[in-house]
């Protein structure tokens, strides 16, 4: 390379560009500075001339006004001044005004603001009252000179700037004003005589507040406007009398060089601005031309040097790429996680990467140098059996020239141990000749461990390590096949822990998980080797017991399972107890497939829950029929509501003293198209478990109120009693439902009695209390149904403020034959009367029971002795008959 190019072609280009560009930039910047300074000088010259002219004009006008004020006696404003004197003074003013072309004329104004004399008008009819200059001088006659804002003259009818001086009497008091309107056209003619270029501007402003007096070119609506944040005016306010500044004007967004100067001692300053674009236009054209020519030269030079540089770079790049290729290969070989070995056509070692040495347990390649790799490594098959030399597939890849692959091979390590590997051998061929092979292999010990773990998790519960449902089903199939051959039965036990959710919610899922693991261990300990216990999920387990010969043996084993679960579980820092409900289904009697037996065992488990928990139930067909019936009813509820299949029957309520019918209890029936008339005992539990009791209860309330309102319209002022489910209280809104039923039917609130079960009052006491008090305040009567069968509490009666207690029919039915029932009924009646509560006995079926109730002082009664629950039409006939 020539010595001048040792810096390289890019460096040479940069030096040339700097050698040309730096002086050129210096010259352009210097010329730009000269232009800015020349513009400042021009602006200062213009401002100097304008300031001198304006100062002379204002000084001449001020002198004339002051002379006029001094020479004018206050008597000229008297009312008795003769016309001749007025004419003489007016001519004097006109003669004086001829010497002042910059003003419209002179005015003499009296103390009221009336213009009494004007140089150009014989009898002026104008007033200066309210003008700023007049009010200022009248308020302070000591002021020597006042300038107004720009205003339209009331006599001239065009914008003017008013100059005014006070006229004082001999005592120095305010006697009037001498005023001269300054013609802005005169000032504008001075501005028009100056050429500042297309973007130039001249402004004449007040120096005290920045208000605009005149601007060329004019901007509509700007006169008398003040300035804010104007850098030039801020300097004037700071006390500078003159100066230069460059900034962008807020009015037209144009950058200018401004010069400003205060006008003598007057509260004005004049400013001239020359637009940067005007005085820089020629410089910009020259700069563009010079820069363009220089750029073109440098571009051509750069293209030439770039071509030379590109050629040199290609040569260097080829050398670097060759070296980089070798480095990449070595880096890849050293960093790859798989082992790589090269072997020659005889199977001898050529090279190994670090991963291969680490996997095989060798410290360096020297230990493998010249070794027969197939004979050294591949000595056993995938099952761990010794491998014959001719069965080595790696040697086949070398000798035959075909690639081989294995997912589960075994290699012998340096210490003689066997290592599970996945390996591939690829032949090396050059010009059609076999050169050897490359062996790639990876340690798959962790993969095999993970596969075993995945296989375990696929068939086991990860928390308890018990078989899961999939494995349980497979175990059942094996047990079923054996039972079919041996004539035995297989039992499926569905286990569900009782109250386990409470443990999870109160103590946390970590404690719940520990308890599940402890219970899983107990269940395993209670089973034989042929038995299977699996966790289905949550707190549900399944036990498969094959070889069941008789039910006695099965029930004994179930009893042991119940006892083992019931025993306390000791965990760190606490001791917990639970129980389990078990449902049992038997193969082949209850079903022949796993799914069917699971479903039936689940059904039996729910019956065990209903039986009080911590027990078991064997499946029978009645359970299945009950479940199917519940499902059918559940699916038909909405249809029944929509199609009007639900009806109300009414059972009379009688006053035992008068024998009169005082009300009726509304009892719900379902007119099912498929089954006929259904009693509430069949469908109410299903309605409560499905949540349909809420819309169903709302319908009952509305229909009962509507019917009671109809009886009232017919002359029977009867109370109607309606049962309310605890679910309706839990869902909320029962008070609104009652209010809607009363409003829609028009029934008075005191004719509706809401019957509540004791279970409703037992739970959610605070919430129930609030609802009951709201119902009671609305006028609705409250009754406790089936009193004495639940968790009766005098404290509840005291707080709830109910109206009536309904004595359950289980005590009433045997009232005359069972002394205990008689004592209970008497106690309830006495207690109710002491609390000012009404009592009603249900289930009255004979005259003897009725007589005892009357003897005890019971208030009301209902039962078959009086009438069965009747459809509405029959209930009407019953009322008419009585």
């Amino acid at each position: 390379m020539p010595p001048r190019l040792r810096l390289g072609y890019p460096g040479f280009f940069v030096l040339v560009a700097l050698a040309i560009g730096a002086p050129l930039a210096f010259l352009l910047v210097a010329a730009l500075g000269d232009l800015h300074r020349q513009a400042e000088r021009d602006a200062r010259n213009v401002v100097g001339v304008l300031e001198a002219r304006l100062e002379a004009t204002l000084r001449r006008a001020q002198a004339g006004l002051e002379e006029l004020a001094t020479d004018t006696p206050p008597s000229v404003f008297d009312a008795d001044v003769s016309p001749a004197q007025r004419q003489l003074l007016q001519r004097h003013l006109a003669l004086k005004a001829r010497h002042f072309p910059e003003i419209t004329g002179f005015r003499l104004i009296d103390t009221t603001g009336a213009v009494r004399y004007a140089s150009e008008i014989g009898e002026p009819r104008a007033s200066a009252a309210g003008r700023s200059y007049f009010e200022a001088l009248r308020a302070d006659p000591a002021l020597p000179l006042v300038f107004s804002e720009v205003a339209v003259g009331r006599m001239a009818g065009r914008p003017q700037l008013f100059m005014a001086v006070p006229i004082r009497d001999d005592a120095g008091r305010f006697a009037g004003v001498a005023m001269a309107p300054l013609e802005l056209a005169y000032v504008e003619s001075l501005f028009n005589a100056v050429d500042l270029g297309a973007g130039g501007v001249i402004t004449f402003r007040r120096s005290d507040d920045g208000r605009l007096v005149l601007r060329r070119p004019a901007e509509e609506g700007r006169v008398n406007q003040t300035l804010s944040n104007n850098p030039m005016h801020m300097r004037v306010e700071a006390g500078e009398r003159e100066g230069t500044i460059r900034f962008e004007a807020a009015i037209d967004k144009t950058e200018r060089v401004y010069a400003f100067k205060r006008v003598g001692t007057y509260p004005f300053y004049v400013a001239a601005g020359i637009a940067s674009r005007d005085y820089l236009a020629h410089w910009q054209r020259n700069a563009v031309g010079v820069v363009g020519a220089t750029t073109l030269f440098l571009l051509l030079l750069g293209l030439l040097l770039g071509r030379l540089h590109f050629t040199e770079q290609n040569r260097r790049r080829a050398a670097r790429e060759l070296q980089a290729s070798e480095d990449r290969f070595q880096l890849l070989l050293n960093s790859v996680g798989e082992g790589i070995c090269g072997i020659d056509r005889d199977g001898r070692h050529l090279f190994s990467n670090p991963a291969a040495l680490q996997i095989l347990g060798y410290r360096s390649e020297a230990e493998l140098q010249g070794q027969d790799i197939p004979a050294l490594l591949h000595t056993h098959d995938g099952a761990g059996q010794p491998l014959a030399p001719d069965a080595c597939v790696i040697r086949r890849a070398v000798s035959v020239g075909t690639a081989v692959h294995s997912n589960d091979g075994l290699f012998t390590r340096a210490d003689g141990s066997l290592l599970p590997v996945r390996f591939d051998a690829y032949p090396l061929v050059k010009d059609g000749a076999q050169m050897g092979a490359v062996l790639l292999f990876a340690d798959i010990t962790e993969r095999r461990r993970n596969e075993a773990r995945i296989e375990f998790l696929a068939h086991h519960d990860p928390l308890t390590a018990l078989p899961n449902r999939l494995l349980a089903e497979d175990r059942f199939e094996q047990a079923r096949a054996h039972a079919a051959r041996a004539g035995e039965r297989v039992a499926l036990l569905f286990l569900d822990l009782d109250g386990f959710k409470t443990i999870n919610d109160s103590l946390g899922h970590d404690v719940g998980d520990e308890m599940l693991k402890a219970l899983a261990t107990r269940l395993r300990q209670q089973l034989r080797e042929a038995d299977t216990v699996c966790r289905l999920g949550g707190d549900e387990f399944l036990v498969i017991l094959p070889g069941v010969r008789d039910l006695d043996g099965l029930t004994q084993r179930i009893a042991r399972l119940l006892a083992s679960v019931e025993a306390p579980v000791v965990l760190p820092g606490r001791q917990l107890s639970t129980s389990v409900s078990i449902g049992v289904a038997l193969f082949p009697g209850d079903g022949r497939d796993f799914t069917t037996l699971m479903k039936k065992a689940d059904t039996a488990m729910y019956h065990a829950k209903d039986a009080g928990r911590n027990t078991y139930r064997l499946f029978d067909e009645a359970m299945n029929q009950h479940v199917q019936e519940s499902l059918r009813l559940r699916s038909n509820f909405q249809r029944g509501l929509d199609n009007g299949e639900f009806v109300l029957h009414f059972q009379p309520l009688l006053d035992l003293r008068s024998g009169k019918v005082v009300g009726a209890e509304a009892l719900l029936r379902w007119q099912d198209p498929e089954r006929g008339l259904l009693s509430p005992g069949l469908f109410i539990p299903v309605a409560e478990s499905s949540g349909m009791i809420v819309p169903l209860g709302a319908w009952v309330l509305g229909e009962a109120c509507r019917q009671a309102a109809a009886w009232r319209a017919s002359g029977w002022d009867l109370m109607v009693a309606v049962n309310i489910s605890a679910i309706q209280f839990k869902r909320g809104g029962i008070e609104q439902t009652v209010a809607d039923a009363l409003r829609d039917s028009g029934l008075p609130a005191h004719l509706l009695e809401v019957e509540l079960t004791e279970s409703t009052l037992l739970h959610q006491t605070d919430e129930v209390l609030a609802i009951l008090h709201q119902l009671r305040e609305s006028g609705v009567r409250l009754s406790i149904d089936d009193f004495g069968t639940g968790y009766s509490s005098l404290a509840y009666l005291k707080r709830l403020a109910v109206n009536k207690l309904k004595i359950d029919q289980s005590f009433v039915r045997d009232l005359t034959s069972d002394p205990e029932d008689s004592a209970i009924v008497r106690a309830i009646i006495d207690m109710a009367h002491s609390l000012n509560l009404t009592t009603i006995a249900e289930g009255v079926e004979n005259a003897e029971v009725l007589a005892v109730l009357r003897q005890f002082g019971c208030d009301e009664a209902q039962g078959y002795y009086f009438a069965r629950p009747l459809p509405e039409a029959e209930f009407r006939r019953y009322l008419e008959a009585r």
Side-chain angles (χ1 to χ4, degrees):
M1 182 183 296
R4 69 177 186 278
L5 295 180
R6 285 177 182 173
L7 293 176
Y9 296 108
F12 178 72
F13 176 78
V14 171
L15 289 177
V16 173
L18 290 175
I20 296 175
L24 178 61
F26 175 78
L27 292 174
L28 290 175
V29 171
L32 179 62
D34 290 340
L35 289 174
H36 284 312
R37 287 188 289 274
Q38 182 61 46
E40 290 176 356
R41 285 193 294 273
D42 292 345
R44 280 198 302 269
N45 292 337
V46 169
V47 166
V49 172
L50 292 176
E51 187 274 336
R53 295 290 299 276
L54 289 171
E55 197 272 340
T57 298
L58 295 177
R59 190 173 60 252
R60 274 169 38 82
Q62 180 184 3
L65 281 172
E66 289 175 346
E67 181 183 2
L68 179 61
T70 303
D71 296 342
T72 301
S75 59
V76 298
F77 298 127
D78 294 342
D80 56 353
V81 176
S82 66
Q85 286 181 308
R86 291 180 58 83
Q87 290 178 4
L88 181 62
L89 183 55
Q90 194 272 333
R91 284 196 299 271
H92 174 70
L93 291 177
L95 180 62
K96 188 177 183 64
R98 291 174 187 170
H99 300 286
F100 297 90
E102 63 272 20
I103 64 173
T104 302
F106 289 104
R107 312 275 190 270
L108 293 177
I109 304 168
D110 64 16
T111 57
T112 66
V115 180
R116 301 293 295 275
Y117 301 94
S119 59
E120 74 277 18
I121 300 175
E123 294 183 4
R125 290 184 176 85
S127 173
R131 293 289 195 183
S132 61
Y133 66 87
F134 176 78
E135 299 298 337
L137 289 174
R138 180 164 63 175
D140 186 6
L143 294 174
L145 175 67
V146 174
F147 289 92
S148 74
E149 70 279 2
V150 176
V152 177
R154 293 173 179 170
M155 297 174 64
R158 57 183 177 272
Q160 295 173 320
L161 180 68
F162 303 114
M163 302 175 57
V165 298
I167 299 173
R168 305 181 185 90
D169 59 16
D170 294 339
R173 293 187 297 269
F174 178 71
V177 173
M179 183 270 286
L182 180 64
E183 285 291 346
L184 295 182
Y186 174 79
V187 179
E188 189 173 7
S189 67
L190 297 180
F191 291 177
N192 290 338
V194 179
D195 183 10
L196 294 179
V201 63
I202 302 175
T203 58
F204 182 41
R205 290 185 179 274
R206 294 287 294 252
S207 59
D208 47 4
D209 57 11
R211 282 186 294 174
L212 180 66
V213 177
L214 186 65
R215 184 183 190 276
R216 188 191 69 90
E219 285 282 345
E220 185 176 355
R222 297 285 181 177
V223 174
N224 287 328
Q225 281 196 358
T226 59
L227 292 174
S228 91
N229 298 325
N230 182 279
M232 179 170 62
H233 183 69
M234 292 168 67
R235 289 177 59 178
V236 172
E237 283 185 325
E240 293 189 38
R241 296 199 59 82
E242 60 181 311
T244 58
I245 189 172
R246 186 171 72 220
F247 65 93
E248 183 182 277
I251 293 177
D252 54 10
K253 305 301 181 184
T254 301
E255 184 187 72
R256 296 183 179 89
V257 170
Y258 290 92
F260 62 90
K261 190 172 183 181
R262 292 281 293 266
V263 179
T265 60
Y266 298 102
F268 299 100
Y269 69 94
V270 62
I274 304 174
S276 299
R277 64 170 182 264
D278 292 339
Y279 67 81
L280 293 180
H282 181 69
W283 175 86
Q284 289 172 341
R285 289 193 295 273
N286 290 341
V288 169
V290 172
V291 171
T294 303
T295 303
L296 180 60
F297 169 75
L298 292 176
L299 180 61
L300 293 175
L301 177 63
L303 290 175
L304 176 61
L305 294 177
R307 185 66 178 268
L308 295 174
H309 177 71
F310 180 73
T311 302
E312 179 67 17
Q313 288 295 101
N314 283 343
R315 184 185 65 79
R316 293 182 180 181
R317 186 181 300 110
R320 287 196 302 269
E321 288 178 353
L322 180 60
Q323 183 61 43
S325 178
E326 293 184 14
D327 293 343
R328 283 194 299 271
F329 174 75
Q330 192 63 40
L331 180 63
L332 176 64
L333 193 65
N334 292 339
S335 61
V336 71
E338 292 188 347
I340 302 175
C341 288
I343 54 180
D344 63 15
R345 68 184 65 185
D346 297 322
R348 303 291 176 181
H349 175 271
L350 292 176
F351 64 86
S352 295
N353 69 339
L357 297 176
Q358 181 181 4
I359 293 172
L360 296 174
Y362 292 95
R363 291 187 296 273
S364 67
E365 285 187 273
E367 297 181 61
L368 294 173
Q369 198 63 38
Q371 293 279 357
D372 186 346
I373 293 299
L376 182 67
L377 301 183
H378 200 206
T379 60
H380 292 76
D381 61 16
Q385 299 299 318
L387 191 67
D390 58 350
C392 178
V393 294
I394 300 177
R395 193 177 302 281
R396 190 183 313 153
V398 177
S399 60
V400 181
T402 59
V404 296
H405 170 77
S406 175
N407 269 329
D408 55 354
L410 287 176
F411 277 6
T412 302
R413 301 179 79 249
D415 59 2
S417 62
L418 297 179
L419 176 73
V421 294
R422 184 202 72 244
F423 67 85
D424 296 270
Y426 299 98
L428 294 175
V429 180
K430 183 178 180 182
D431 299 329
Q434 182 70 24
M435 304 298 296
V438 175
L439 176 64
L440 288 81
F441 55 92
D443 182 355
I444 60 171
T445 303
E446 187 64 27
R447 191 193 76 183
R448 285 192 174 181
R449 188 179 297 116
N450 289 337
E451 287 174 351
R453 176 65 177 165
I454 292 171
E455 175 66 19
F456 178 82
L457 292 178
H459 297 89
H460 292 79
D461 171 49
L463 176 65
T464 61
L466 293 177
N468 61 11
R469 177 176 177 138
L470 184 64
L471 182 55
E473 187 170 359
D474 181 69
R475 298 275 180 87
F476 169 76
E477 294 299 330
Q478 298 176 27
R480 182 181 69 167
H482 180 271
R485 291 192 300 270
E488 297 174 340
R489 288 183 285 184
V490 180
L492 263 68
L493 279 60
F494 197 106
L495 285 70
D496 187 277
L497 298 180
D498 299 326
F500 183 74
K501 183 177 184 298
T502 303
I503 296 175
N504 263 343
D505 293 344
S506 59
L507 301 179
H509 288 274
D510 292 341
V511 174
D513 289 347
E514 291 302 317
M515 189 168 186
L516 286 174
K517 289 191 284 188
L519 292 175
T521 301
R522 287 187 182 180
L523 292 174
R524 274 196 300 261
Q525 293 171 349
Q526 293 296 323
L527 301 180
R528 303 167 302 183
E529 184 177 351
D531 302 334
T532 299
V533 57
C534 81
R535 183 181 177 220
L536 299 176
D539 58 352
E540 295 178 342
F541 296 86
L542 177 69
V543 174
I544 301 174
L545 301 178
V548 175
R549 293 184 174 83
D550 58 77
L551 292 181
D552 289 340
L554 175 62
T555 56
Q556 291 175 9
R557 299 191 62 188
I558 294 174
R560 288 196 294 271
L561 288 175
L562 289 169
S564 67
V565 173
E566 191 177 10
V569 176
V570 179
L571 298 176
R574 55 174 54 87
Q575 179 174 298
L576 302 175
S577 296
T578 187
S579 60
V580 67
S581 298
I582 303 177
V584 184
L586 293 171
F587 167 85
D590 296 327
R592 306 189 67 85
D593 63 271
F594 183 76
T595 302
T596 300
L597 291 169
M598 276 283 294
K599 181 173 66 174
K600 293 185 176 181
D602 189 23
T603 300
M605 183 274 295
Y606 277 108
H607 280 76
K609 291 276 189 187
D610 293 340
R613 307 187 178 192
N614 194 24
T615 187
Y616 71 93
R617 286 292 182 270
L618 297 174
F619 177 83
D620 59 40
E621 195 56 37
M623 293 181 184
N624 189 45
Q625 291 175 0
H626 175 74
V627 171
Q628 296 299 322
E629 178 65 13
S630 296
L631 289 175
R632 191 190 70 82
L633 291 175
R634 183 188 294 260
S635 62
N636 289 342
F637 261 120
Q638 192 61 49
R639 183 207 68 192
L641 275 174
D642 294 340
N643 296 343
E645 296 174 6
F646 290 98
V647 295
L648 291 183
H649 286 190
F650 299 93
Q651 187 172 32
L653 308 178
L654 281 82
D655 182 272
L656 294 186
R657 293 182 180 86
S658 64
K660 293 182 179 180
V661 177
V662 294
E665 180 179 6
L667 300 170
L668 182 63
R669 301 291 186 267
W670 186 353
Q671 191 65 47
D672 189 336
E674 302 172 6
R675 300 279 304 280
L677 192 65
L678 302 180
S679 68
L682 292 175
F683 61 84
I684 289 297
V686 180
E688 289 183 332
S689 64
S690 66
M692 286 299 296
I693 192 66
V694 175
L696 188 60
W699 178 86
V700 171
L701 266 172
E703 181 65 15
C705 290
R706 185 192 66 78
Q707 193 57 64
W711 297 336
R712 190 165 183 262
S714 300
W716 294 303
D717 205 24
L718 302 179
M719 177 270 297
V720 64
V722 179
N723 286 283
I724 299 297
S725 167
I727 303 298
Q728 292 173 269
F729 274 88
K730 291 180 182 179
R731 292 290 181 90
I734 185 62
E735 59 271 42
Q736 187 60 47
T737 304
V738 170
D740 291 344
L742 293 173
R743 184 195 63 238
D744 295 342
S745 64
L747 182 70
H750 72 277
L751 293 181
L752 173 63
E753 183 173 281
V754 172
E755 292 190 0
L756 314 165
T757 61
E758 286 189 88
S759 60
T760 302
L761 305 178
L762 179 64
H763 301 292
Q764 302 182 355
T765 305
D766 292 337
E767 180 181 351
V768 170
L769 274 175
I771 296 174
L772 293 182
H773 279 293
Q774 186 171 347
L775 291 175
R776 181 71 179 269
E777 289 174 2
S778 69
V780 174
R781 296 174 60 82
L782 304 177
S783 169
I784 299 180
D785 194 14
D786 300 333
F787 187 78
T789 61
Y791 299 91
S792 303
S793 169
L794 294 179
Y796 283 146
L797 294 179
K798 180 180 178 182
R799 296 175 62 194
L800 295 175
V802 296
N803 303 101
K804 181 185 293 185
L805 299 182
K806 177 176 279 190
I807 305 170
D808 188 70
Q809 60 182 345
S810 62
F811 303 123
V812 176
R813 187 178 298 112
D814 299 326
L815 182 61
T816 58
S817 59
D818 190 331
E820 292 182 356
D821 286 349
S822 176
I824 290 172
V825 171
R826 180 188 290 273
I828 292 174
I829 294 172
D830 291 343
M831 177 191 65
H833 288 168
S834 66
L835 295 174
N836 294 321
L837 300 179
T838 302
T839 54
I840 180 172
E842 62 178 350
V844 177
E845 298 183 357
N846 55 64
E848 291 79 5
V849 169
L850 178 60
V852 173
L853 289 172
R854 282 177 172 159
Q855 179 186 350
F856 288 170
C858 184
D859 301 298
E860 298 175 2
Q862 68 182 98
Y864 288 178
Y865 180 74
F866 306 109
R868 292 176 176 272
L870 303 170
E872 197 279 328
E874 294 184 23
F875 183 75
R876 276 181 172 271
R877 288 195 291 272
Y878 175 83
L879 292 176
E880 292 169 353
R882 291 188 64 88

